[in-house]
Coordinates of all heavy atoms in Angstrom, one line a residue:
D203 N 0.8 -1.2 0.0 CA 0.0 0.0 0.0 C 0.9 1.2 0.0 O 0.6 2.2 -0.8 CB -0.9 -0.1 1.2 CG -2.1 0.9 1.1 OD1 -2.5 1.2 0.0 OD2 -2.7 1.3 2.1
V204 N 1.9 1.3 0.8 CA 2.7 2.5 0.9 C 3.6 2.7 -0.4 O 3.8 3.8 -0.9 CB 3.6 2.6 2.2 CG1 2.8 2.6 3.4 CG2 4.6 1.4 2.2
L205 N 4.0 1.6 -0.9 CA 4.8 1.6 -2.2 C 3.8 2.1 -3.3 O 4.3 2.9 -4.2 CB 5.3 0.2 -2.6 CG 6.5 -0.2 -1.7 CD1 6.8 -1.7 -2.0 CD2 7.8 0.6 -2.1
S206 N 2.6 1.6 -3.3 CA 1.7 2.1 -4.4 C 1.4 3.5 -4.2 O 1.3 4.3 -5.3 CB 0.4 1.3 -4.2 OG -0.6 1.8 -5.1
K207 N 1.3 4.1 -3.0 CA 1.0 5.5 -2.8 C 2.2 6.3 -3.4 O 2.0 7.4 -4.1 CB 0.8 5.8 -1.3 CG 0.8 7.3 -1.0 CD -0.4 8.0 -1.6 CE -1.8 7.6 -1.2 NZ -2.0 8.0 0.2
A208 N 3.4 5.9 -3.1 CA 4.6 6.5 -3.7 C 4.6 6.5 -5.2 O 4.9 7.6 -5.8 CB 5.9 5.9 -3.1
A209 N 4.2 5.4 -5.8 CA 4.2 5.3 -7.3 C 3.1 6.3 -7.8 O 3.3 7.0 -8.8 CB 3.8 3.9 -7.7
Q210 N 2.0 6.4 -7.1 CA 0.9 7.3 -7.5 C 1.4 8.7 -7.5 O 1.1 9.6 -8.4 CB -0.3 7.1 -6.6 CG -1.1 5.9 -6.8 CD -2.2 5.8 -5.8 OE1 -3.0 6.6 -5.6 NE2 -2.2 4.6 -5.1
I211 N 2.2 9.1 -6.5 CA 2.7 10.5 -6.4 C 3.6 10.7 -7.6 O 3.5 11.8 -8.2 CB 3.5 10.7 -5.0 CG1 2.5 10.6 -3.9 CG2 4.2 12.0 -5.0 CD1 3.2 10.5 -2.5
Y212 N 4.5 9.8 -7.9 CA 5.4 9.9 -9.0 C 4.6 10.1 -10.3 O 4.9 11.0 -11.1 CB 6.3 8.7 -9.1 CG 7.2 8.8 -10.4 CD1 8.4 9.5 -10.4 CD2 6.9 8.0 -11.5 CE1 9.2 9.5 -11.5 CE2 7.7 8.1 -12.6 CZ 8.8 8.9 -12.6 OH 9.6 8.9 -13.7
L213 N 3.7 9.2 -10.6 CA 2.9 9.2 -11.8 C 2.0 10.5 -11.9 O 1.7 11.0 -13.0 CB 2.1 7.9 -11.9 CG 2.9 6.6 -12.1 CD1 2.0 5.4 -11.9 CD2 3.7 6.6 -13.4
T214 N 1.5 10.9 -10.8 CA 0.7 12.1 -10.8 C 1.5 13.3 -11.2 O 1.1 14.2 -12.0 CB 0.0 12.4 -9.4 OG1 -0.8 11.2 -9.1 CG2 -0.9 13.6 -9.5
A215 N 2.7 13.5 -10.6 CA 3.6 14.5 -11.0 C 3.9 14.5 -12.5 O 3.9 15.5 -13.2 CB 4.9 14.5 -10.1
K216 N 4.2 13.3 -13.0 CA 4.6 13.1 -14.4 C 3.4 13.5 -15.3 O 3.5 14.1 -16.4 CB 5.0 11.7 -14.7 CG 6.3 11.3 -14.0 CD 7.5 12.0 -14.7 CE 7.9 11.4 -16.0 NZ 9.2 12.0 -16.5
S217 N 2.2 13.2 -14.9 CA 0.9 13.6 -15.6 C 0.7 15.0 -15.6 O 0.0 15.5 -16.5 CB -0.2 12.7 -15.1 OG -0.7 13.3 -13.8
M218 N 1.3 15.7 -14.6 CA 1.1 17.2 -14.6 C 2.3 17.9 -15.4 O 2.2 19.1 -15.5 CB 1.2 17.6 -13.1 CG 0.0 17.2 -12.3 SD 0.3 17.4 -10.4 CE 0.3 19.2 -10.4
G219 N 3.1 17.1 -15.9 CA 4.1 17.6 -16.9 C 5.5 17.9 -16.3 O 6.3 18.5 -17.0
F220 N 5.8 17.3 -15.1 CA 7.1 17.5 -14.6 C 7.6 16.3 -13.9 O 6.7 15.4 -13.5 CB 7.2 18.7 -13.6 CG 6.4 18.5 -12.3 CD1 7.0 18.1 -11.2 CD2 5.1 18.9 -12.3 CE1 6.3 17.8 -10.0 CE2 4.3 18.7 -11.1 CZ 4.9 18.1 -10.0
T221 N 8.9 16.1 -13.7 CA 9.5 15.0 -13.0 C 9.6 15.5 -11.5 O 10.3 16.5 -11.3 CB 10.8 14.6 -13.6 OG1 10.6 14.2 -14.9 CG2 11.4 13.4 -12.8
P222 N 9.0 14.7 -10.6 CA 9.1 15.1 -9.2 C 10.5 15.1 -8.7 O 11.3 14.3 -9.0 CB 8.3 14.1 -8.4 CG 8.2 12.9 -9.3 CD 8.3 13.5 -10.7
E223 N 10.8 16.1 -7.9 CA 12.2 16.3 -7.3 C 12.5 15.2 -6.4 O 13.7 14.7 -6.4 CB 12.3 17.6 -6.7 CG 13.6 18.0 -6.0 CD 13.6 19.3 -5.3 OE1 13.0 19.4 -4.2 OE2 14.1 20.3 -5.9
G224 N 11.6 14.8 -5.5 CA 12.0 13.7 -4.5 C 12.8 14.3 -3.4 O 13.4 15.3 -3.5
T225 N 12.8 13.6 -2.3 CA 13.6 14.0 -1.2 C 15.1 13.6 -1.5 O 15.3 12.7 -2.3 CB 13.2 13.3 0.1 OG1 13.2 11.8 -0.1 CG2 11.8 13.7 0.6
S226 N 16.0 14.4 -0.9 CA 17.4 14.1 -1.3 C 17.9 12.9 -0.5 O 17.3 12.4 0.4 CB 18.2 15.3 -0.8 OG 18.2 15.5 0.6
Q227 N 19.1 12.4 -0.9 CA 19.7 11.3 -0.2 C 20.0 11.7 1.2 O 19.8 10.9 2.2 CB 21.0 10.9 -0.9 CG 21.6 9.6 -0.3 CD 20.7 8.4 -0.4 OE1 20.3 8.1 -1.5 NE2 20.5 7.8 0.7
E228 N 20.4 13.0 1.4 CA 20.7 13.5 2.8 C 19.4 13.4 3.6 O 19.5 13.0 4.9 CB 21.2 14.9 2.7 CG 21.6 15.4 4.1 CD 22.1 16.8 4.0 OE1 22.3 17.4 2.9 OE2 22.3 17.5 5.1

């Protein structure tokens, strides 16, 4: 469920026309 939510956030951002920045490694 939590992995799916993360995938949805990524795909939603891509559908809005940008690649999500994401949290940094730090």
Side-chain angles (χ1 to χ4, degrees):
D203 201 24
V204 296
L205 287 167
S206 174
K207 174 59 68 68
Q210 289 175 53
I211 293 168
Y212 175 83
L213 294 171
T214 300
K216 293 292 281 187
S217 73
M218 293 167 69
F220 67 94
T221 299
E223 180 182 76
T225 54
S226 67
Q227 187 61 54
E228 181 181 354

